[in-house]
Coordinates of all heavy atoms in Angstrom, one line a residue:
M280 N 52.6 71.4 88.4 CA 52.9 71.2 89.8 C 54.0 72.2 90.2 O 54.0 72.8 91.3 CB 53.3 69.8 90.1 CG 53.5 69.5 91.5 SD 52.0 69.4 92.4 CE 52.6 68.7 93.9
E281 N 55.0 72.3 89.3 CA 56.2 73.1 89.6 C 55.8 74.6 89.7 O 56.3 75.3 90.5 CB 57.2 72.9 88.5 CG 58.6 72.6 89.1 CD 59.5 72.3 88.0 OE1 60.0 73.3 87.4 OE2 59.7 71.1 87.7
N282 N 54.8 75.0 88.8 CA 54.4 76.4 88.8 C 53.7 76.8 90.1 O 53.9 77.9 90.6 CB 53.4 76.6 87.7 CG 54.1 77.3 86.5 OD1 55.2 77.8 86.7 ND2 53.4 77.4 85.4
S283 N 53.0 75.9 90.7 CA 52.3 76.2 92.0 C 53.2 76.5 93.1 O 53.0 77.3 94.0 CB 51.3 75.1 92.3 OG 52.0 73.9 92.6
F284 N 54.4 75.7 93.1 CA 55.4 76.0 94.1 C 56.0 77.4 94.0 O 56.2 78.1 94.9 CB 56.5 75.0 94.1 CG 56.1 73.7 94.7 CD1 56.2 72.5 94.0 CD2 55.7 73.6 96.0 CE1 55.8 71.3 94.5 CE2 55.3 72.4 96.6 CZ 55.4 71.2 95.8
Y285 N 56.2 77.8 92.7 CA 56.8 79.1 92.5 C 55.8 80.2 92.9 O 56.2 81.2 93.5 CB 57.1 79.3 91.0 CG 58.3 78.5 90.5 CD1 58.3 77.7 89.4 CD2 59.5 78.5 91.3 CE1 59.3 76.9 89.0 CE2 60.6 77.7 90.8 CZ 60.5 77.0 89.7 OH 61.6 76.2 89.3
Y286 N 54.5 80.0 92.6 CA 53.5 81.0 93.0 C 53.4 81.1 94.5 O 53.4 82.2 95.1 CB 52.2 80.7 92.4 CG 52.1 81.0 90.9 CD1 51.7 80.0 90.0 CD2 52.3 82.3 90.4 CE1 51.6 80.3 88.7 CE2 52.2 82.6 89.1 CZ 51.9 81.6 88.2 OH 51.8 81.8 86.9
F287 N 53.5 80.0 95.1 CA 53.3 79.9 96.6 C 54.5 80.6 97.2 O 54.4 81.5 98.1 CB 53.2 78.5 97.1 CG 53.2 78.4 98.6 CD1 52.1 78.8 99.4 CD2 54.4 78.0 99.3 CE1 52.1 78.7 100.7 CE2 54.4 78.0 100.7 CZ 53.3 78.3 101.4
F288 N 55.7 80.3 96.8 CA 56.9 80.8 97.4 C 57.2 82.2 97.0 O 58.0 82.9 97.7 CB 58.1 79.9 97.2 CG 58.1 78.6 98.0 CD1 58.0 77.4 97.3 CD2 58.1 78.7 99.3 CE1 58.0 76.2 98.0 CE2 58.0 77.5 100.1 CZ 58.0 76.3 99.4
S289 N 56.6 82.7 96.0 CA 56.8 84.1 95.6 C 55.7 85.0 96.3 O 56.0 86.2 96.6 CB 56.8 84.3 94.1 OG 55.5 84.1 93.6
S290 N 54.5 84.5 96.5 CA 53.5 85.3 97.1 C 53.5 85.3 98.6 O 53.1 86.3 99.2 CB 52.1 84.8 96.6 OG 51.8 83.5 97.1
T291 N 54.0 84.3 99.2 CA 54.1 84.3 100.7 C 54.9 85.4 101.3 O 54.5 86.1 102.2 CB 54.6 82.9 101.2 OG1 53.8 81.9 100.7 CG2 54.7 82.8 102.7
P292 N 56.1 85.7 100.8 CA 56.9 86.8 101.3 C 56.2 88.2 101.1 O 56.3 89.1 101.9 CB 58.2 86.7 100.6 CG 58.3 85.4 100.0 CD 56.9 84.9 99.8
Q293 N 55.5 88.3 100.0 CA 54.8 89.5 99.7 C 53.7 89.8 100.7 O 53.5 90.9 101.2 CB 54.2 89.5 98.3 CG 55.3 89.6 97.2 CD 54.7 89.5 95.8 OE1 53.5 89.4 95.7 NE2 55.6 89.5 94.8
V294 N 52.9 88.7 101.0 CA 51.9 88.8 102.0 C 52.4 89.1 103.4 O 51.9 90.0 104.1 CB 51.0 87.5 102.0 CG1 50.1 87.5 103.2 CG2 50.3 87.3 100.7
L295 N 53.5 88.4 103.7 CA 54.1 88.7 105.1 C 54.7 90.1 105.1 O 54.6 90.8 106.2 CB 55.2 87.6 105.3 CG 54.7 86.2 105.6 CD1 55.9 85.3 105.8 CD2 53.8 86.2 106.8
G296 N 55.3 90.6 104.0 CA 55.8 91.9 104.0 C 54.7 92.9 104.2 O 54.8 93.9 104.9
G297 N 53.5 92.7 103.5 CA 52.4 93.6 103.7 C 51.8 93.6 105.1 O 51.5 94.6 105.7
I298 N 51.8 92.4 105.7 CA 51.4 92.3 107.1 C 52.3 93.1 108.1 O 51.9 93.9 108.9 CB 51.2 90.9 107.6 CG1 50.0 90.2 106.9 CG2 51.1 90.8 109.1 CD1 50.0 88.7 107.0
W299 N 53.6 93.0 107.8 CA 54.6 93.7 108.7 C 54.5 95.2 108.4 O 54.6 96.0 109.4 CB 56.0 93.2 108.3 CG 56.4 92.0 109.1 CD1 56.5 90.8 108.6 CD2 56.7 91.9 110.5 NE1 56.9 89.9 109.6 CE2 57.0 90.6 110.8 CE3 56.8 92.9 111.5 CZ2 57.3 90.2 112.1 CZ3 57.1 92.4 112.8 CH2 57.4 91.1 113.0
A300 N 54.2 95.6 107.2 CA 54.1 97.0 106.9 C 52.9 97.6 107.7 O 52.9 98.7 108.3 CB 53.9 97.3 105.4
L301 N 51.7 96.9 107.6 CA 50.5 97.4 108.4 C 50.8 97.4 109.9 O 50.4 98.3 110.6 CB 49.3 96.4 108.1 CG 48.7 96.7 106.7 CD1 47.6 95.6 106.5 CD2 48.1 98.0 106.6
F302 N 51.5 96.4 110.4 CA 51.8 96.4 111.8 C 52.7 97.6 112.1 O 52.5 98.2 113.2 CB 52.6 95.1 112.1 CG 53.0 95.0 113.5 CD1 52.1 94.8 114.6 CD2 54.4 95.1 113.9 CE1 52.5 94.7 115.9 CE2 54.8 95.0 115.2 CZ 53.9 94.8 116.2
G303 N 53.7 97.9 111.3 CA 54.5 99.0 111.5 C 53.7 100.4 111.5 O 54.0 101.2 112.3
V304 N 52.8 100.5 110.6 CA 52.0 101.7 110.6 C 51.2 101.9 111.9 O 51.1 102.9 112.5 CB 51.0 101.7 109.4 CG1 50.0 102.7 109.5 CG2 51.8 101.8 108.1
F305 N 50.6 100.8 112.4 CA 49.8 100.9 113.6 C 50.7 101.2 114.8 O 50.3 102.0 115.7 CB 49.0 99.6 113.8 CG 47.9 99.4 112.9 CD1 47.8 98.2 112.1 CD2 46.9 100.3 112.7 CE1 46.7 98.0 111.3 CE2 45.8 100.2 111.9 CZ 45.8 99.0 111.1
V306 N 51.9 100.6 114.8 CA 52.8 100.9 116.0 C 53.2 102.3 115.9 O 53.3 103.0 117.0 CB 54.0 99.9 115.9 CG1 55.1 100.3 116.8 CG2 53.5 98.5 116.3
L307 N 53.6 102.8 114.8 CA 54.0 104.2 114.7 C 52.9 105.2 115.0 O 53.1 106.2 115.7 CB 54.5 104.5 113.3 CG 55.9 104.0 112.9 CD1 56.2 104.3 111.5 CD2 57.0 104.5 113.8
F308 N 51.7 104.9 114.6 CA 50.5 105.7 115.0 C 50.3 105.7 116.5 O 50.1 106.8 117.1 CB 49.3 105.2 114.3 CG 48.1 106.0 114.6 CD1 47.9 107.3 114.1 CD2 47.1 105.5 115.5 CE1 46.8 108.1 114.4 CE2 46.0 106.3 115.8 CZ 45.8 107.5 115.3
K309 N 50.5 104.6 117.1 CA 50.3 104.5 118.6 C 51.4 105.3 119.3 O 51.1 106.0 120.3 CB 50.3 103.0 119.1 CG 50.0 102.8 120.5 CD 48.6 103.3 120.8 CE 48.2 103.0 122.2 NZ 46.9 103.5 122.6
I310 N 52.6 105.1 118.8 CA 53.7 105.9 119.4 C 53.5 107.4 119.3 O 53.8 108.1 120.2 CB 55.1 105.4 118.8 CG1 55.5 104.0 119.3 CG2 56.2 106.4 119.2 CD1 56.7 103.5 118.5
Q311 N 53.0 107.8 118.2 CA 52.8 109.2 117.9 C 51.7 109.7 118.9 O 51.8 110.8 119.5 CB 52.3 109.5 116.5 CG 52.1 110.9 116.2 CD 51.6 111.1 114.8 OE1 51.3 110.2 114.1 NE2 51.5 112.4 114.4
S312 N 50.6 109.0 119.1 CA 49.6 109.4 120.0 C 50.1 109.4 121.4 O 49.7 110.3 122.2 CB 48.3 108.5 119.8 OG 48.4 107.4 120.6
L313 N 50.9 108.4 121.8 CA 51.4 108.5 123.2 C 52.4 109.6 123.4 O 52.4 110.3 124.5 CB 52.2 107.1 123.5 CG 51.3 105.9 123.6 CD1 52.2 104.7 123.8 CD2 50.4 106.0 124.9
T314 N 53.2 110.0 122.4 CA 54.1 111.1 122.5 C 53.3 112.4 122.7 O 53.6 113.2 123.5 CB 54.9 111.2 121.2 OG1 55.7 110.0 121.1 CG2 55.9 112.3 121.3
T315 N 52.2 112.5 121.9 CA 51.4 113.7 122.0 C 50.8 113.8 123.4 O 50.8 114.9 124.0 CB 50.3 113.7 121.0 OG1 50.8 113.6 119.7 CG2 49.4 115.0 121.0
D316 N 50.3 112.7 123.9 CA 49.7 112.7 125.3 C 50.8 113.1 126.3 O 50.5 113.9 127.3 CB 49.1 111.4 125.7 CG 47.9 111.1 124.9 OD1 47.3 112.0 124.3 OD2 47.5 109.9 124.8
L317 N 52.0 112.5 126.2 CA 53.1 112.8 127.2 C 53.5 114.3 127.1 O 53.8 114.9 128.1 CB 54.3 111.9 126.9 CG 54.1 110.5 127.4 CD1 55.3 109.7 126.9 CD2 54.0 110.4 128.9
I318 N 53.5 114.9 125.9 CA 53.9 116.3 125.8 C 52.9 117.2 126.5 O 53.2 118.1 127.2 CB 54.1 116.6 124.3 CG1 55.4 116.0 123.8 CG2 54.1 118.2 124.1 CD1 55.6 116.2 122.3
S319 N 51.6 116.9 126.3 CA 50.6 117.7 126.9 C 50.6 117.6 128.4 O 50.4 118.6 129.1 CB 49.2 117.4 126.3 OG 48.8 116.1 126.7
I320 N 50.8 116.4 128.9 CA 50.9 116.1 130.4 C 52.1 116.9 130.9 O 52.0 117.5 132.0 CB 50.9 114.6 130.7 CG1 49.6 114.0 130.4 CG2 51.3 114.4 132.1 CD1 49.6 112.5 130.5
S321 N 53.2 116.8 130.2 CA 54.4 117.4 130.8 C 54.3 119.0 130.7 O 54.8 119.6 131.6 CB 55.7 117.0 130.0 OG 55.6 117.4 128.6
K322 N 53.6 119.5 129.7 CA 53.4 121.0 129.7 C 52.5 121.4 130.9 O 52.8 122.4 131.5 CB 52.8 121.4 128.4 CG 53.8 121.4 127.3 CD 53.3 121.9 126.0 CE 54.3 121.9 124.9 NZ 53.8 122.3 123.6
E323 N 51.5 120.6 131.2 CA 50.6 120.9 132.3 C 51.4 120.8 133.6 O 51.2 121.7 134.5 CB 49.4 120.0 132.3 CG 48.4 120.3 133.3 CD 47.2 119.5 133.2 OE1 46.9 118.8 132.2 OE2 46.4 119.4 134.2
L324 N 52.2 119.8 133.7 CA 53.0 119.6 135.0 C 54.0 120.8 135.1 O 54.1 121.3 136.2 CB 53.8 118.3 134.9 CG 54.8 118.1 136.0 CD1 54.1 117.9 137.3 CD2 55.7 116.9 135.7
L325 N 54.6 121.2 134.0 CA 55.5 122.4 134.1 C 54.8 123.6 134.5 O 55.3 124.4 135.3 CB 56.2 122.6 132.7 CG 57.2 123.7 132.6 CD1 58.3 123.5 133.6 CD2 57.7 123.8 131.2
Y326 N 53.6 123.8 134.0 CA 52.8 125.0 134.4 C 52.5 125.0 135.9 O 52.7 126.0 136.6 CB 51.5 125.0 133.6 CG 50.5 126.1 134.1 CD1 50.7 127.4 133.7 CD2 49.5 125.8 134.9 CE1 49.8 128.4 134.1 CE2 48.6 126.7 135.4 CZ 48.8 128.1 135.0 OH 47.9 129.0 135.5
W327 N 52.0 123.8 136.4 CA 51.7 123.8 137.8 C 52.9 123.9 138.7 O 52.9 124.5 139.8 CB 51.0 122.5 138.1 CG 49.6 122.5 137.7 CD1 49.0 121.9 136.7 CD2 48.5 123.3 138.4 NE1 47.6 122.3 136.6 CE2 47.4 123.1 137.7 CE3 48.5 124.1 139.5 CZ2 46.2 123.7 138.0 CZ3 47.3 124.7 139.9 CH2 46.2 124.5 139.1
L328 N 54.1 123.4 138.3 CA 55.3 123.6 139.0 C 55.7 125.0 139.1 O 56.3 125.5 140.1 CB 56.4 122.7 138.5 CG 56.4 121.2 138.7 CD1 57.4 120.5 138.0 CD2 56.5 120.9 140.2
Q329 N 55.5 125.7 138.0 CA 55.9 127.1 138.0 C 54.9 128.1 138.7 O 55.3 129.1 139.3 CB 56.1 127.6 136.5 CG 57.2 127.0 135.8 CD 57.3 127.4 134.4 OE1 56.3 127.8 133.8 NE2 58.4 127.2 133.7
H330 N 53.7 127.8 138.7 CA 52.7 128.7 139.2 C 52.0 128.3 140.6 O 51.3 129.1 141.1 CB 51.6 128.9 138.2 CG 52.0 129.5 136.9 ND1 52.5 128.8 135.8 CD2 52.2 130.8 136.6 CE1 52.9 129.7 134.9 NE2 52.7 130.9 135.4
Y331 N 52.3 127.1 141.0 CA 51.6 126.7 142.3 C 52.6 126.8 143.4 O 53.7 126.3 143.4 CB 51.2 125.3 142.1 CG 50.4 124.8 143.4 CD1 49.1 125.2 143.7 CD2 51.1 123.9 144.3 CE1 48.5 124.7 144.8 CE2 50.4 123.5 145.4 CZ 49.1 123.9 145.6 OH 48.5 123.4 146.8
S332 N 52.2 127.5 144.5 CA 53.0 127.6 145.7 C 52.1 127.5 146.9 O 51.0 128.0 146.9 CB 53.8 128.8 145.7 OG 53.0 129.9 145.8
I333 N 52.6 126.8 147.9 CA 51.9 126.7 149.1 C 52.2 127.9 150.0 O 53.4 128.3 150.1 CB 52.3 125.4 149.9 CG1 52.1 124.2 149.0 CG2 51.6 125.3 151.2 CD1 52.6 122.9 149.5
R334 N 51.2 128.5 150.6 CA 51.4 129.7 151.4 C 52.3 129.5 152.6 O 53.1 130.4 153.0 CB 50.1 130.3 151.8 CG 49.2 130.8 150.7 CD 47.9 131.3 151.2 NE 47.0 131.4 150.1 CZ 46.7 132.5 149.5 NH1 47.3 133.6 149.9 NH2 45.9 132.6 148.5
S335 N 52.3 128.3 153.1 CA 53.1 128.0 154.3 C 54.5 127.5 153.9 O 55.3 127.1 154.8 CB 52.4 127.0 155.2 OG 52.2 125.8 154.5
E336 N 54.8 127.6 152.6 CA 56.1 127.1 152.2 C 57.2 128.0 152.7 O 57.1 129.2 152.6 CB 56.1 127.0 150.7 CG 57.3 126.4 150.1 CD 57.2 126.2 148.6 OE1 56.4 126.9 147.9 OE2 57.9 125.3 148.0
S337 N 58.3 127.4 153.2 CA 59.4 128.2 153.7 C 60.2 128.8 152.5 O 60.1 128.3 151.4 CB 60.3 127.3 154.6 OG 61.0 126.4 153.8
N338 N 60.9 129.8 152.9 CA 61.8 130.5 151.8 C 62.8 129.6 151.3 O 63.2 129.6 150.1 CB 62.4 131.7 152.4 CG 61.4 132.9 152.5 OD1 60.4 132.9 151.8 ND2 61.7 133.8 153.4
E339 N 63.3 128.7 152.2 CA 64.4 127.8 151.8 C 63.9 126.8 150.7 O 64.5 126.6 149.7 CB 64.9 127.0 153.0 CG 66.0 126.0 152.7 CD 66.5 125.3 153.9 OE1 66.8 126.0 154.9 OE2 66.5 124.1 153.9
S340 N 62.7 126.2 151.0 CA 62.1 125.3 150.0 C 61.7 126.0 148.7 O 61.8 125.4 147.6 CB 61.0 124.5 150.6 OG 59.9 125.3 150.9
L341 N 61.2 127.2 148.8 CA 60.9 128.0 147.7 C 62.1 128.3 146.8 O 62.1 128.2 145.6 CB 60.2 129.3 148.1 CG 59.7 130.2 147.0 CD1 58.6 129.5 146.2 CD2 59.1 131.5 147.6
N342 N 63.2 128.7 147.4 CA 64.4 128.9 146.7 C 65.0 127.7 146.0 O 65.5 127.7 144.9 CB 65.5 129.5 147.6 CG 65.2 131.0 148.0 OD1 64.4 131.6 147.3 ND2 65.7 131.4 149.2
E343 N 64.8 126.6 146.8 CA 65.3 125.3 146.2 C 64.5 124.9 144.9 O 65.0 124.5 143.9 CB 65.2 124.2 147.2 CG 65.7 122.8 146.7 CD 65.5 121.8 147.8 OE1 65.4 122.1 149.0 OE2 65.6 120.6 147.4
R344 N 63.2 125.2 145.0 CA 62.3 124.9 143.9 C 62.6 125.8 142.7 O 62.7 125.4 141.6 CB 60.8 125.0 144.3 CG 59.9 124.6 143.1 CD 58.5 124.4 143.6 NE 58.0 125.4 144.4 CZ 56.9 126.0 144.3 NH1 56.1 125.7 143.2 NH2 56.4 127.0 145.1
V345 N 62.9 127.1 143.0 CA 63.3 128.0 141.9 C 64.6 127.6 141.3 O 64.7 127.8 140.1 CB 63.3 129.4 142.5 CG1 63.9 130.4 141.5 CG2 61.9 129.9 142.9
T346 N 65.5 127.1 142.0 CA 66.8 126.7 141.4 C 66.7 125.4 140.6 O 67.4 125.2 139.7 CB 67.9 126.5 142.5 OG1 67.5 125.6 143.4 CG2 68.2 127.9 143.1
I347 N 65.8 124.5 141.0 CA 65.6 123.3 140.3 C 64.7 123.4 139.1 O 64.8 122.6 138.1 CB 65.0 122.2 141.3 CG1 66.0 121.9 142.4 CG2 64.5 121.0 140.5 CD1 65.4 121.0 143.4
M348 N 63.9 124.4 139.0 CA 62.9 124.6 137.9 C 63.6 124.6 136.5 O 63.1 124.0 135.6 CB 62.1 125.9 138.1 CG 61.0 125.7 139.1 SD 59.9 124.3 138.7 CE 59.4 124.8 137.1
P349 N 64.7 125.3 136.3 CA 65.3 125.2 134.9 C 65.7 123.8 134.5 O 65.5 123.5 133.3 CB 66.5 126.1 135.0 CG 66.2 127.1 136.2 CD 65.4 126.3 137.1
E350 N 66.2 123.0 135.4 CA 66.5 121.6 135.1 C 65.3 120.8 134.8 O 65.2 120.1 133.8 CB 67.2 121.0 136.3 CG 68.6 121.5 136.5 CD 69.2 120.9 137.7 OE1 69.0 119.7 138.0 OE2 70.0 121.5 138.4
I351 N 64.2 121.0 135.5 CA 63.0 120.3 135.3 C 62.4 120.8 133.9 O 61.9 119.9 133.1 CB 62.0 120.5 136.4 CG1 62.5 119.8 137.7 CG2 60.6 120.0 136.1 CD1 61.6 120.1 138.9
S352 N 62.4 122.1 133.7 CA 61.9 122.6 132.4 C 62.6 122.0 131.2 O 62.0 121.6 130.3 CB 62.0 124.1 132.4 OG 61.3 124.7 133.4
Q353 N 63.9 122.0 131.3 CA 64.7 121.4 130.2 C 64.5 119.9 130.0 O 64.4 119.5 128.9 CB 66.2 121.7 130.5 CG 67.1 121.3 129.3 CD 66.7 122.1 128.1 OE1 66.4 123.3 128.1 NE2 66.8 121.5 126.9
S354 N 64.3 119.2 131.1 CA 64.1 117.8 131.0 C 62.7 117.5 130.4 O 62.6 116.6 129.5 CB 64.1 117.1 132.4 OG 65.4 117.3 133.0
I355 N 61.7 118.3 130.8 CA 60.4 118.1 130.2 C 60.3 118.5 128.7 O 59.8 117.7 127.9 CB 59.3 118.9 131.0 CG1 59.1 118.3 132.4 CG2 58.0 119.0 130.3 CD1 58.2 119.1 133.3
L356 N 61.0 119.5 128.4 CA 61.0 119.9 127.0 C 61.8 119.0 126.1 O 61.5 118.8 124.9 CB 61.6 121.4 126.8 CG 60.7 122.5 127.5 CD1 61.4 123.8 127.4 CD2 59.4 122.5 126.7
T357 N 62.8 118.3 126.7 CA 63.6 117.3 126.0 C 62.7 116.1 125.7 O 62.7 115.6 124.7 CB 64.9 117.0 126.7 OG1 65.6 118.1 126.9 CG2 65.7 116.0 126.0

């Protein structure tokens, strides 16, 4: 009877540790895939911000966009 308690109390933490490890692997994989998606979306956004302009855009707003672009680029790359 005593041996069964030892087996139970020694195997339970091992099983729970294995479950936590698998959970951690799945979470890290999901975070990695979300990071990859966000990086590709941000690069596409940066491309469109740099190359898209409206023909009727005033010089003032164009200059403002040009001055803000380095900050946006650095934020996206970070």
